[in-house]
Amino acid sequence: MVAALVRLLDWYRSEALPLWAERGYDRSRGGFHEALGFDGAPAEHAERRVRVQARQIYVFASADRLGWAAGAGDLARAGFDYFLEKACPEGGARGCVHRMSPDGQITDDRRDLYDQAFLMLACSAMWRAFKAQRAIELAEKTAAFLERDFASPVGGFLEDDRGTTPRRQNPHMHLFEAFMAMHEATGEAAWRARADRMAALFERFFFDRERGVLREFFADDLSPAKGREGG
């Protein structure tokens, strides 16, 4: 197991990170490409999921902090500038949008819970690597937005601002991850309290102890969804 992890880390540092650093950032239009092809060429015309932008910011900010890739910090900072300018209207008062065109035009302005989790994860990495105050401000605005507009009286958060159902465990898992990352980055108790609330949802609703399974889909009251989705 240790040998396998060493090989994975070596591949990640010597091959994956340099490839994405060289080809993954769109130096003419800004932002990260949505994907690379099997030949390593960027998907120039692919619509961009905003969560992918956030994930790449997290990766390169973390790589810079760990000293894993030359130039990683420049990519993280440029990616975060692009993210704030293009994906977070009104300075992030309502978090980030869902999708953009390759030239940075918003194509889907829904506020999706999954996306907001990765926004905050990116912010945690930007603070840890660079003490970027804008990242803290964006994370705090987004958390306040979710608590104001997305909170469910049963617990947890709604899927998006479009009333999409069923409710899912997965975005809450990523929120737990993001809240813990923000707590680790800042030491602020409020972030740990948010993470604790996500853990309580796991204990009360998401994990079926009788069957030993983690359920994925739920009704509005967080009872298991009907049919195969809730099975």
Side-chain angles (χ1 to χ4, degrees):
M1 176 64 75
V2 173
L5 290 174
V6 170
R7 289 196 301 272
L8 175 62
L9 181 59
D10 180 66
W11 167 82
Y12 183 69
R13 294 172 60 178
S14 65
E15 297 187 41
L17 275 174
L19 174 65
W20 277 94
E22 178 186 355
R23 303 182 185 182
Y25 194 80
D26 187 340
R27 288 171 172 80
S28 63
R29 296 173 295 188
F32 294 96
H33 291 293
E34 172 68 16
L36 301 181
F38 287 113
D39 61 354
E44 297 274 1
H45 304 295
E47 195 173 40
R48 295 180 179 180
R49 292 173 295 166
V50 169
R51 70 185 63 169
V52 171
Q53 301 296 312
R55 287 169 175 167
Q56 294 285 60
I57 293 165
Y58 175 85
V59 165
F60 284 103
S62 299
D64 180 81
R65 178 174 58 84
L66 295 167
W68 284 1
D74 292 338
L75 291 176
R77 284 186 286 261
F80 191 69
D81 289 344
Y82 175 91
F83 188 85
L84 274 175
E85 178 186 354
K86 302 293 187 180
C88 300
E90 303 172 69
R94 299 181 63 244
C96 63
V97 299
H98 188 50
R99 287 178 179 265
M100 300 184 297
S101 66
D103 62 357
Q105 301 301 307
I106 296 170
T107 58
D108 188 337
D109 69 352
R110 80 182 63 209
R111 276 21 179 216
D112 178 89
L113 185 62
Y114 197 106
D115 298 335
Q116 312 313 315
F118 281 99
L119 175 156
M120 288 182 280
L121 190 67
C123 288
S124 74
M126 289 297 294
W127 177 254
R128 291 189 72 186
F130 314 116
K131 293 297 183 282
Q133 184 61 35
R134 293 182 304 160
I136 293 295
E137 293 169 358
L138 179 60
E140 290 175 343
K141 287 178 184 178
T142 302
F145 161 59
L146 292 179
E147 288 161 355
R148 182 183 68 244
D149 292 358
F150 272 46
S152 164
V154 178
F157 299 98
L158 305 179
E159 288 290 309
D160 56 27
D161 59 355
R162 307 290 175 86
T164 298
T165 56
R167 297 180 67 185
R168 294 175 298 163
Q169 172 276 139
N170 197 43
H172 292 86
M173 178 269 289
H174 287 297
L175 280 176
F176 175 79
E177 175 186 31
F179 291 155
M180 286 297 292
M182 285 299 302
H183 172 65
E184 183 177 12
T186 67
E188 293 291 333
W191 293 109
R192 176 57 188 264
R194 292 181 177 111
D196 287 345
R197 289 194 285 274
M198 297 301 98
L201 286 178
F202 171 86
E203 293 288 346
R204 183 177 179 188
F205 296 107
F206 298 153
F207 185 60
D208 183 337
R209 293 190 178 281
E210 182 177 336
R211 299 174 62 184
V213 297
L214 180 63
R215 293 186 182 275
E216 183 62 37
F217 300 104
F218 300 86
D220 285 339
D221 63 357
L222 289 181
S223 61
K226 303 296 183 183
R228 294 184 64 185
E229 284 189 333

